[in-house]
Amino acid sequence: IRLILSLVLLCNWKSVQLDYVLAFPQAPAVRDLYMEIPKAFTLDGVDNPEEYVLKVNRNLYGGKDAGRTWYLYLANKLESELGFTKSEHDDCVFYRGSMIYVLYTDDSIIVGPDQKEIDETVKQMMNVLDITIEGTLTDFLGVNIDRRSDNSIKSSQPRLVDQILQDLKLDQENVNTCETPALSSKLLSRHQDSRPFDNSFNYRSVIGKLHYLVAGSRSEIAYAVHQCARFSQDPKMEHAKAVKHIGRYLKGTKTEGMILEPDASKSLEVYVDADFAGNWDAQLAGKDRSTARSRHGFYITYGGIPIAWKSSLQQEIALSSTESEITGLSYALRETIPIMNLLQEMESKGYPVNGEQTSVHCKVFEDNQGAVEIAKTHKFRPRTKHLNNRLFHFRHYVDKGWITIHPISTLDQPADILTKPLNEPDFKKHRKAMNGW
């Protein structure tokens, strides 16, 4: 969705948001299905209603294959009756004429350069499907989308932040705020000998809302949220304090989000960083092997606009800082290569996805010289041969020149914000680089 928004900004396209009315039941049931008679529902002239069932005629919400059934029904309508062509690389992207259509369950967006073409297509869709026109993009999947006069978009989720603050009981006016989402001087661990969490708020519910906030518009809190999420099974008071610290940070930045400002001189770029064994705790090492795990984080940007990001503990134990960086590089490119394929497909269909660029190309910025050298120069090294099969799935793209690896100073690596708690100056510097404020 953010990739489509970036095309809207870079190409100055028009957009219309659509919503399907009772989406799933628009599709018929694909096989004979029956359900028990609901409680308090009476059958006239029937002595024993438990002997009867109801036959399901439409694709009801809650069925195991309800989402799949709805998608197949919709895709068939779009392709066979409305002339759309489905993407080969993303089942939720469709093309027609100069337009691109993207679907998320029952919410969707049509973008393109010609408003008349979009309006005519929407009119045809309304003859085939039960949809409502939501107008231009202002709120999509709970994310406020504010298209500003300087050709940028500000995406934010102030209502979700309000819900989180209410859950944490931090919605009063006199609550102190914090400048960063996590203390740079203290790392969270299991705190096995500490007092259990007093259940003053629903820990898992708040973590779930924070995760959606991270996914929607607040990438700068990804590290802090993921660290707190690790201990949802048995939270201690230290973990609750860390969650409230995030809340105090959000209290002071409630209306902020992510500013999508296009830069036509840039194509696809990836910023990757890793923190080698950053959670290491000598006292807990014998009981908790996760303290030896490294963390990686990455930003994927297109036209200078962040479209994907992640902060994650690595599943495997890295044996060196270089190995942890190579692992992060591999995971980042697993996300990036499908986006490259999608952009190449759009380019082949005549969409102006690259501006002045002649082909889809990805630049990867890495601040570890060893990782840069291993990724660029394909040699068989005894000390790194165990990485070959598992991590070097992207070598073909490097050989072809579709991906290039570039060194970047650690001080200028914005993905650093996703791997560790930073002091205030560094945190705000990287937040400005990626979120625009």
Side-chain angles (χ1 to χ4, degrees):
I1 292 167
R2 275 186 290 267
L3 179 63
I4 297 300
L5 289 179
S6 67
L7 290 175
V8 168
L9 293 176
L10 288 164
C11 304
N12 197 26
W13 280 355
K14 312 299 181 183
S15 64
V16 171
Q17 180 178 348
L18 304 175
D19 185 27
Y20 290 91
V21 180
L22 286 175
F24 285 16
Q26 290 193 38
V30 294
R31 60 182 62 84
D32 287 342
L33 294 173
Y34 302 90
M35 61 178 285
E36 293 180 357
I37 302 241
K39 292 181 180 179
F41 188 86
T42 59
L43 298 177
D44 294 338
V46 174
D47 295 331
N48 191 3
E50 284 138 11
E51 294 180 352
Y52 291 81
V53 293
L54 296 180
K55 183 175 181 179
V56 178
N57 296 319
R58 309 301 295 180
N59 176 45
L60 294 184
Y61 288 92
K64 288 185 177 181
D65 61 346
R68 178 68 174 168
T69 299
W70 155 244
Y71 168 77
L72 293 175
Y73 172 80
L74 176 60
N76 179 62
K77 290 286 186 182
L78 292 174
E79 292 182 283
S80 63
E81 298 186 33
L82 292 166
F84 283 88
T85 302
K86 185 171 66 174
S87 167
E88 295 181 1
H89 298 285
D90 192 316
D91 284 345
C92 291
V93 174
F94 296 81
Y95 308 103
R96 174 177 160 169
S98 62
M99 301 172 297
I100 300 177
Y101 175 76
V102 60
L103 169 73
Y104 190 95
T105 310
D106 59 349
D107 294 289
S108 56
I109 306 169
I110 295 182
V111 302
D114 188 346
Q115 186 67 54
K116 184 177 179 180
E117 183 185 21
I118 293 175
D119 293 341
E120 180 61 29
T121 300
V122 172
K123 184 178 179 180
Q124 294 175 18
M125 292 177 69
M126 294 181 74
N127 293 330
V128 177
L129 298 157
D130 191 1
I131 61 176
T132 58
I133 303 173
E134 303 294 322
T136 57
L137 279 171
T138 55
D139 188 286
F140 193 72
L141 304 177
V143 180
N144 290 351
I145 299 174
D146 178 21
R147 191 164 183 181
R148 308 194 298 185
S149 58
D150 61 352
N151 194 35
S152 67
I153 286 177
K154 179 181 179 181
S155 63
S156 59
Q157 296 164 276
R159 286 178 294 179
L160 180 56
V161 173
D162 280 335
Q163 293 177 24
I164 293 169
L165 294 178
Q166 290 172 10
D167 291 347
L168 295 174
K169 301 178 177 60
L170 296 175
D171 51 337
Q172 299 85 3
E173 291 295 328
N174 59 347
V175 171
N176 294 328
T177 61
C178 298
E179 295 297 321
T180 62
L183 293 173
S184 61
S185 58
K186 186 176 182 180
L187 292 174
L188 279 184
S189 65
R190 294 198 180 276
H191 298 288
Q192 294 174 328
D193 299 326
S194 299
R195 286 189 299 126
F197 172 47
D198 61 5
N199 294 316
S200 57
F201 60 86
N202 189 324
Y203 193 97
R204 291 190 179 188
S205 174
V206 170
I207 290 296
K209 292 176 181 179
L210 286 170
H211 271 308
Y212 194 74
L213 185 62
V214 169
S217 61
R218 301 298 294 268
S219 63
E220 84 274 15
I221 66 172
Y223 167 82
V225 171
H226 191 270
Q227 280 290 83
C228 292
R230 293 175 55 209
F231 308 104
S232 297
Q233 181 67 28
D234 183 24
K236 305 295 184 181
M237 289 304 296
E238 285 83 355
H239 306 133
K241 290 178 182 178
V243 173
K244 285 208 165 188
H245 190 101
I246 299 173
R248 293 180 187 278
Y249 168 75
L250 294 175
K251 175 79 174 178
T253 59
K254 182 173 67 173
T255 60
E256 302 295 346
M258 179 168 283
I259 297 174
L260 311 181
E261 192 167 2
D263 184 346
S265 67
K266 296 181 179 180
S267 184
L268 198 60
E269 295 183 347
V270 184
Y271 297 87
V272 189
D273 192 33
D275 183 28
F276 174 57
N279 293 312
W280 175 255
D281 187 328
Q283 295 181 345
L284 292 176
K287 303 177 183 178
D288 183 8
R289 65 178 182 179
S290 66
T291 64
R293 290 164 64 185
S294 302
R295 177 180 288 276
H296 65 252
F298 57 82
Y299 278 106
I300 303 172
T301 69
Y302 177 72
I305 297 173
I307 60 174
W309 49 83
K310 193 167 189 179
S311 174
S312 177
L313 280 180
Q314 296 176 356
Q315 296 301 313
E316 49 280 314
I317 305 296
L319 304 180
S320 66
S321 59
T322 295
E323 184 174 335
S324 68
E325 298 278 358
I326 282 287
T327 301
L329 189 63
S330 173
Y331 277 94
L333 289 174
R334 293 180 203 184
E335 299 276 350
T336 306
I337 289 172
I339 298 173
M340 288 183 64
N341 293 335
L342 185 61
L343 286 170
Q344 287 172 338
E345 178 183 69
M346 292 178 180
E347 182 187 44
S348 69
K349 293 180 178 293
Y351 295 95
V353 298
N354 286 298
E356 300 176 357
Q357 300 286 336
T358 57
S359 61
V360 175
H361 177 263
C362 177
K363 291 183 178 179
V364 182
F365 296 93
E366 169 61 53
D367 63 0
N368 182 281
Q369 291 294 335
V372 171
E373 177 63 21
I374 292 172
K376 289 172 63 175
T377 308
H378 301 163
K379 295 181 179 178
F380 189 84
R381 301 171 174 86
R383 292 201 308 175
T384 59
K385 63 183 180 181
H386 62 290
L387 301 177
N388 285 355
N389 293 334
R390 182 162 51 90
L391 299 180
F392 288 109
H393 59 94
F394 57 86
R395 277 186 165 173
H396 172 70
Y397 292 83
V398 175
D399 289 340
K400 292 289 186 180
W402 298 334
I403 293 176
T404 53
I405 315 293
H406 304 266
I408 187 173
S409 168
T410 300
L411 298 177
D412 297 325
Q413 174 59 277
D416 200 33
I417 202 173
L418 301 174
T419 62
K420 61 181 74 69
L422 300 177
N423 57 44
E424 185 179 335
D426 289 341
F427 174 81
K428 291 185 174 180
K429 174 184 176 181
H430 296 318
R431 183 183 68 187
K432 174 68 174 177
M434 285 294 106
N435 287 23
W437 58 279

